[in-house]
Amino acid sequence: MTTTARPAGPRPTTASVWLLTTIMMRAARGRWRLVVSVAAAAALGAVGLVVRLRADAGGVPDEQVVGLLTVLVLTLYAPLMSLVQAAAVVGDLRDDGTLVYLWLRPVPRWSLAVAATLAVVVRSAPLAVLAAVVLAVSAGGGPLLVVAAGYAAAMACLGYAGLFAFLGLAVRRALVWGLVYVLLWEGLVAAFGALPAKLAVSTYSTSLLTTLTDTTAPAQGVGLAWAWAGPVLFAVVATAAARWRLVRGEVA
């Protein structure tokens, strides 16, 4: 563990943050992640097509399509995709020494934290949007539902990106802790009360999807304003926590 404190450096600019984001994305190894992600999106399309073929003459109801999107994309695909991409961005950078190199440069801690979150968003959001759109279209969803599905998936990735980028900087076994959050906290604990639900990114993304499509909201759902703001707050707070971790002079 590196613990040497050093000056924060000059103020970041948009160009410098984007340059760091590009470096982090290029340093992340493993084309297999892209192949598996696209294959998973295609598999979701196959699921939607099967549901559509088995529906009656009236087609698949919007409620059913939204239910599929909620379970398969917003509570499984989007968080797991973000977690895998965060492991690639932060984990691979740590393993090959690039993270320590960037930490030792005269780079503001804010720019490193923001760049890590942006790198995860850029790598995960397009794939999650693709999965949501493919599933919605294959299941017979209308244009509004398809757009809402893609938007909700992108917002979900924004919240998860900040959270999992922070985990990657804060702990060694970030992938394991990320799985605990997705499968245990969001999949189980969040269903038992309003407070745990508000600490789950999926609460906001599913509420956003149901509100935009005028379908039944989840039991612990939130209003439209919070559905928009929730993922943004997750990203901002987690990025601030990542910056605090870096300012302390610790790169796990």
Side-chain angles (χ1 to χ4, degrees):
M1 176 179 290
T2 304
T3 57
T4 306
R6 52 175 298 281
R11 295 182 62 183
T13 64
T14 302
S16 66
V17 171
W18 184 247
L19 177 60
L20 286 169
T21 303
T22 304
I23 292 173
M24 291 181 177
M25 289 191 297
R26 289 179 177 176
R29 303 184 299 273
R31 291 185 180 274
W32 63 268
R33 294 184 181 95
L34 177 61
V35 175
V36 172
S37 302
V38 174
L44 292 180
V47 171
L49 186 59
V50 169
V51 171
R52 186 175 183 178
L53 292 175
R54 296 184 63 179
D56 55 27
V60 183
D62 284 352
E63 290 279 356
Q64 188 174 353
V65 179
V66 169
L68 286 172
L69 288 164
T70 297
V71 173
L72 298 179
V73 176
L74 298 182
T75 62
L76 284 176
Y77 188 94
L80 294 178
M81 176 57 49
S82 300
L83 179 58
V84 168
Q85 296 302 330
V89 169
V90 181
D92 288 356
L93 288 178
R94 180 190 295 114
D95 292 343
D96 65 12
T98 304
L99 183 60
V100 174
Y101 170 78
L102 292 174
W103 184 83
L104 290 172
R105 302 291 296 171
V107 176
R109 297 304 181 236
W110 269 113
S111 59
L112 284 174
V114 170
T117 298
L118 285 177
V120 179
V121 171
V122 172
R123 287 177 64 98
S124 62
L127 295 168
V129 171
L130 172 66
V133 169
V134 167
L135 177 55
V137 171
S138 64
L144 175 61
L145 196 154
V146 172
V147 172
Y151 182 62
M155 292 298 289
C157 286
L158 175 62
Y160 287 120
L163 179 61
F164 295 147
F166 163 71
L167 278 180
L169 292 170
V171 298
R172 276 284 183 180
R173 300 177 182 268
L175 189 61
V176 174
W177 286 108
L179 287 173
V180 169
Y181 174 80
V182 173
L183 300 179
L184 184 59
W185 184 268
E186 291 201 336
L188 183 62
V189 178
F192 288 97
L195 180 58
K198 286 181 171 57
L199 298 177
V201 177
S202 59
T203 298
Y204 303 94
S205 58
T206 55
S207 297
L208 181 60
L209 177 61
T210 56
T211 302
L212 293 177
T213 56
D214 196 23
T215 53
T216 304
Q220 303 294 344
V222 296
L224 182 59
W226 275 110
W228 270 328
V232 176
L233 288 175
F234 265 90
V236 170
V237 172
T239 302
R243 184 258 183 189
W244 169 79
R245 179 73 173 179
L246 291 168
V247 166
R248 287 187 59 194
E250 297 181 1
V251 176

